[in-house]
Amino acid sequence: MIPTKFNDFINSPHGMMMGTRDAQLVPEVSRVLGARFMDENHIKCFMDEPTNRKALENLRENGLMSLVLVDVISAFSYQFKGRLVSSAPMTQEELDEFAHYMAGFNDAIAALWRMPGVPYRYPHSSMLCLVMEVEEIFEQTPRKGTGTKVLTT
Amino acid sequence: MSALITEEMKPAMSGTVPSGLVTCSADGIPNVAYISQVYYVDGNHVALSHQFFNKSMRNIQENPQACVSILSPVDFQMWKLDLRFARTETSGPLFESMTTQLEAIATMMGMEDVFHLKAAEIFEVINVEQVGITNDPNNLFHGRE
C-alpha cells in the first residue's frame, strides 16, 4: 500500500527519471514528465514515445521499472520500484494532468534557474501514460541514512 | 579510439543540473538515483561523485553496466551515456578537482553540511545517445513559456 502521505508528493511538479533494463541487464535512463497517484497500489507516469523507445522495449520484455521523484527546490526525493501494468496513448484527462504538471514544473524550474520555458523544450509529442504497480518505496533525499526502505508490499 | 564525449556535451558536466543514474542488480532490479556530478575525465571516461549512492555501487559491483543522463544548462540538450565501471579513486588530482566542484555545487544548493565526496567512481563511456530538444511544431506546448 502506498501511504497516503505520498499522494501529494507524487502529484507534484517534481523532476522525474525512470530506470529500466534489458535482457542483458543493461540499464536505461529515461526522462519522465509527470506522475499521478492512482490508488493504494498504483501510480501513473507520462513520457514521450519517440525518445524512449529503448525503455519501452525493455518494459515490454520484463516490465521492471524504477521511478525517482525529486523536489527540485528542497531535493526531497523518493524512489518507487515496481512493474509496468499498462502503457497507452494519453486520454484527454491525462493530457490535462500532463499540462498541469508541465505548468507547475515550469514554475519550479523558473524559480530555481530563472529560466522559464525549459520543460517545454523537452520532447513531449506522442505522449504515453504508463501505469505502474508499486512494490517498494525508498527514501532518497540526499542526507545521512538515505536509501531507507519505506514500503515493501 | 575516437572520443565519444564532444565539446558540445561538456557544459552538461558542470554540475549545474543533477543527473539521473540507472544501475541494475544481478537479479535484474533497476535502480535510479539523482547524482550531483558527472565529471569529464577524458574523451571516453567520466567520473561520478560517490556521496550517497550505496545501492548504486552495490549494483555496480554485481553488474558493471550503468546509464546516466546529462543535461546542458546552456540549451537543455540531454544525452544518455552508456557506461562500464573502470575503477575507484579516493585521492589525487581528479578526486581533488571533483571535491572542489562538489563544494561549489553544495554551496549553490545550500547543502554544505550534507555533500561530501567519498570517492570518484570512474566509468568508461561505451555509447552516447543525444535526446535533444524539441523543434517539433506538433508538440502540445511548443513555444510556450
Side-chain angles (χ1 to χ4, degrees):
Chain A
M1 176 182 284
I2 303 171
T4 52
K5 69 175 184 176
F6 286 98
N7 298 11
D8 287 344
F9 182 81
I10 293 167
N11 293 345
S12 296
H14 299 318
M16 303 182 186
M17 286 283 178
M18 187 174 80
T20 61
R21 58 88 170 169
D22 67 13
Q24 286 71 48
L25 306 187
V26 177
E28 174 76 5
V29 65
S30 300
R31 180 160 47 209
V32 170
L33 293 172
R36 300 290 294 180
F37 172 85
M38 293 180 70
D39 59 39
E40 60 190 21
N41 295 309
H42 299 91
I43 61 177
K44 58 185 175 183
C45 62
F46 310 133
M47 64 173 15
D48 76 299
E49 190 273 340
T51 68
N52 290 300
R53 291 197 172 113
K54 174 63 176 170
L56 294 164
E57 185 182 321
N58 291 346
L59 289 170
R60 279 191 293 273
E61 280 182 12
N62 59 60
L64 297 169
M65 58 192 290
S66 296
L67 182 66
V68 64
L69 278 59
V70 61
D71 182 323
V72 296
I73 305 297
S74 69
F76 206 70
S77 178
Y78 286 97
Q79 179 180 197
F80 301 81
K81 292 189 176 187
R83 291 179 180 274
L84 180 75
V85 175
S86 65
S87 67
M90 288 171 148
T91 64
Q92 186 56 53
E93 180 186 355
E94 289 156 357
L95 284 168
D96 291 344
E97 291 169 344
F98 169 58
H100 182 74
Y101 167 82
M102 290 291 271
F105 191 48
N106 186 48
D107 290 345
I109 294 295
L112 187 66
W113 292 330
R114 302 184 188 282
M115 291 182 180
V118 170
Y120 297 106
R121 302 192 72 188
Y122 299 161
H124 58 276
S125 62
S126 302
M127 293 295 292
L128 298 175
C129 174
L130 279 57
V131 176
M132 174 188 191
E133 181 177 9
V134 176
E135 297 171 348
E136 295 177 305
I137 304 174
F138 295 87
E139 203 266 312
Q140 276 191 200
T141 305
R143 59 189 174 198
K144 190 174 182 181
T146 191
T148 304
K149 189 181 288 190
V150 176
L151 167 79
T152 304
T153 57
Chain B
M1 185 178 178
S2 60
L4 290 172
I5 300 172
T6 63
E7 287 297 319
E8 183 188 19
M9 295 164 62
K10 288 184 180 176
M13 299 182 185
S14 63
T16 307
V17 185
S19 294
L21 172 69
V22 180
T23 59
C24 181
S25 62
D27 58 357
I29 307 299
N31 189 83
V32 58
Y34 276 98
I35 60 170
S36 302
Q37 285 177 298
V38 178
Y39 194 88
Y40 176 83
V41 177
D42 61 36
N44 293 297
H45 294 84
V46 295
L48 309 187
S49 55
H50 183 163
Q51 301 169 79
F52 306 102
F53 55 98
N54 295 335
K55 178 59 178 171
S56 298
M57 285 315 298
R58 283 200 299 274
N59 284 353
I60 289 297
Q61 286 162 8
E62 297 174 4
N63 169 16
Q65 306 171 106
C67 185
V68 71
S69 66
I70 56 172
L71 187 71
S72 169
V74 177
D75 59 7
F76 303 100
Q77 295 272 353
M78 179 174 147
W79 292 266
K80 297 179 186 180
L81 281 59
D82 291 328
L83 307 175
R84 177 172 288 275
F85 180 68
R87 66 186 186 277
T88 298
E89 290 188 10
T90 55
S91 63
L94 173 67
F95 181 81
E96 297 305 322
S97 294
M98 288 184 69
T99 299
T100 301
Q101 188 191 62
L102 186 63
E103 287 171 355
I105 294 168
T107 301
M108 190 171 66
M109 294 181 67
M111 293 211 169
E112 297 92 329
D113 298 333
V114 179
F115 283 7
H116 171 69
L117 188 65
K118 293 179 180 173
E121 307 292 354
I122 300 169
F123 289 77
E124 180 184 2
V125 180
I126 305 297
N127 187 51
V128 173
E129 176 190 352
Q130 185 173 8
V131 177
I133 53 177
T134 184
N135 290 306
D136 181 357
N138 293 319
N139 268 347
L140 292 171
F141 307 98
H142 179 68
R144 180 174 160 181
E145 292 191 356

